[in-house]
Amino acid sequence: MLDWAFDKGHRARVIENGEMLQPLRMRGHGVHGHMDYDERYAPFFKKARLLGFVLQFKRQPPMLVHAALTALIDRWRPETYYFHLPCGEMTMTLEDWAMITAMPIEGHALTGRVERTNWQQRVATLIGDCPAVKGNRTSGVLLIWLSEHRQKCPEGADETTVEWYARAYLWYILTEVVFPDSSGNSANWSYLFFLADWDAGYSWGTASLAYLYCSFDDATQRMGDKSNMGGFVWAFSIWMWERLPVGRPEKIPRCPWGAYSEDSDETRHPTVAYEWDIVKLYTGLNKTSYKTYTNELDALTHTQCIVPMICVYAVEWHLPHRVPTQFWVYQHTPPGQPTDTGGHALHL
């Protein structure tokens, strides 16, 4: 391994020494249905370049395969931000992230001075209300409070009220699914303040991917039986299904998208995630599945990460690993192609 500080507490080191850990529990997924989407919110979300992202969550996302995701996280290297696999290294790129989440990857960074003073008054200014602080809670508002007080925008509401509800809806999804806190039950007020100006042009895609990378780093050091991991794990799951054959469920015919606009607005088009709209997961004991997925990743070969290009009778392999110089990457000697998947036999 590369860095002693990470290495000494890494899950992979413990597994290498013969100890079988429990799978991590993925946090921040599945309860967004407590907030009702309203088409009156769309103009605000479009200004923030987050309409495409929001429309993914009008639907019920597929369930997570915790054991498969954990087996891959065990191979995360915090020093390089890559998953270390027998056939090479892989990671989520910003292009991957944009195509899955529809979040913008260009714009201003989510950064600045976070002022705790009068945060409740500022929350009330942005969403029209704020609950009283209970105990020592100073980081945000309970998600259950948001779902009870900002679930459905009243009919005939004026523009200011609609904007309050739109902001609360987006805040709920961002903090419950993309940026969940350690408790998983609170909406951090710092993310709400980035929604004060719809035209600010923030790069939500880079922020969410950075947060997930940080969550990976932390997860590699967690070994308790009830350990969990936050971040945008739903999008991470879609990426794994797209890129790797391990833990990939069976696709079932999709439901109609139904979110297109009459003027062919591209911000309303489905993302790569729509390909996995409905899936059939393979059920089983989490601990048993975890061991199975670990073994499958250990045995992964480069031939399982390439695909054939098909045009009726024409079948040709896509082999980018043979031309890395074309992409300004050092050219290694490519591994040999198995006889049963290439050459003259394939054409026949």
Side-chain angles (χ1 to χ4, degrees):
M1 299 212 179
L2 300 174
D3 188 295
W4 179 81
F6 282 122
D7 183 33
K8 66 177 182 178
H10 200 293
R11 290 174 59 90
R13 178 62 70 205
V14 176
I15 295 171
E16 183 185 48
N17 292 333
E19 183 178 345
M20 194 63 192
L21 301 174
Q22 290 288 341
L24 297 166
R25 181 69 184 174
M26 304 299 152
R27 185 184 292 281
H29 172 79
V31 301
H32 62 274
H34 294 167
M35 298 287 279
D36 294 342
Y37 175 80
D38 193 308
E39 191 59 34
R40 290 175 290 176
Y41 304 161
F44 302 109
F45 297 159
K46 191 172 181 180
K47 285 184 179 181
R49 301 182 298 162
L50 288 172
L51 179 59
F53 160 74
V54 168
L55 291 177
Q56 313 302 313
F57 286 88
K58 287 177 60 181
R59 314 170 73 84
Q60 178 66 39
M63 296 298 293
L64 300 172
V65 185
H66 301 266
L69 295 175
T70 302
L72 187 56
I73 291 167
D74 289 343
R75 287 157 177 76
W76 177 257
R77 291 309 311 171
E79 309 93 336
T80 58
Y81 308 115
Y82 277 80
F83 297 106
H84 189 77
L85 302 168
C87 57
E89 295 176 321
M90 296 180 68
T91 195
M92 288 161 291
T93 66
L94 281 172
E95 183 181 45
D96 291 336
W97 208 238
M99 293 179 69
I100 292 172
T101 67
M103 284 183 153
I105 57 174
E106 295 179 347
H108 300 297
L110 265 69
T111 187
R113 186 176 179 83
V114 179
E115 292 286 354
R116 186 171 296 178
T117 306
N118 299 324
W119 70 267
Q120 289 177 282
Q121 290 86 340
R122 287 183 286 154
V123 167
T125 299
L126 293 174
I127 67 171
D129 195 6
C130 184
V133 174
K134 292 184 178 180
N136 60 354
R137 179 179 296 275
T138 60
S139 61
V141 172
L142 288 175
L143 292 170
I144 189 66
W145 183 91
L146 276 177
S147 64
E148 290 176 351
H149 293 80
R150 289 293 180 269
Q151 178 181 7
K152 185 177 178 62
C153 187
E155 294 293 334
D158 59 29
E159 185 176 358
T160 298
T161 301
V162 173
E163 185 173 6
W164 284 343
Y165 276 79
R167 196 174 278 120
Y169 178 92
L170 185 54
W171 184 31
Y172 185 97
I173 291 181
L174 286 172
T175 53
E176 204 281 328
V177 178
V178 183
F179 306 110
D181 72 350
S182 58
S183 67
N185 62 8
S186 177
N188 191 308
W189 47 260
S190 62
Y191 296 106
L192 175 63
F193 299 154
F194 289 111
L195 302 176
D197 180 4
W198 298 108
D199 295 309
Y202 288 114
S203 178
W204 291 97
T206 57
S208 61
L209 188 55
Y211 192 93
L212 183 64
Y213 277 9
C214 187
S215 299
F216 286 156
D217 294 349
D218 181 61
T220 63
Q221 309 297 305
R222 292 176 176 262
M223 285 171 274
D225 289 346
K226 296 183 179 180
S227 295
N228 55 55
M229 195 199 87
F232 200 172
V233 290
W234 169 76
F236 168 46
S237 178
I238 297 295
W239 179 84
M240 184 178 181
W241 293 346
E242 280 285 320
R243 298 299 191 189
L244 293 169
V246 178
R248 181 182 291 162
E250 177 186 347
K251 291 182 181 179
I252 296 176
R254 304 183 299 252
C255 295
W257 175 248
Y260 295 106
S261 64
E262 294 181 0
D263 59 356
S264 299
D265 182 3
E266 291 188 1
T267 61
R268 291 180 173 271
H269 290 180
T271 70
V272 168
Y274 180 53
E275 285 292 316
W276 305 92
D277 186 43
I278 304 177
V279 297
K280 179 181 179 181
L281 296 175
Y282 302 101
T283 58
L285 292 176
N286 221 18
K287 188 171 183 178
T288 303
S289 299
Y290 177 38
K291 187 174 183 178
T292 299
Y293 295 135
T294 297
N295 292 337
E296 288 182 14
L297 285 171
D298 284 342
L300 197 66
T301 66
H302 76 281
T303 57
Q304 293 173 278
C305 302
I306 60 177
V307 295
M309 302 177 293
I310 302 172
C311 178
V312 192
Y313 64 86
V315 181
E316 302 288 349
W317 283 99
H318 184 239
L319 304 173
H321 62 285
R322 291 185 173 271
V323 289
T325 304
Q326 186 172 322
F327 304 99
W328 303 284
V329 178
Y330 180 74
Q331 173 72 62
H332 293 278
T333 302
Q337 190 72 12
T339 56
D340 61 340
T341 59
H344 186 61
L346 175 67
H347 289 272
L348 292 178

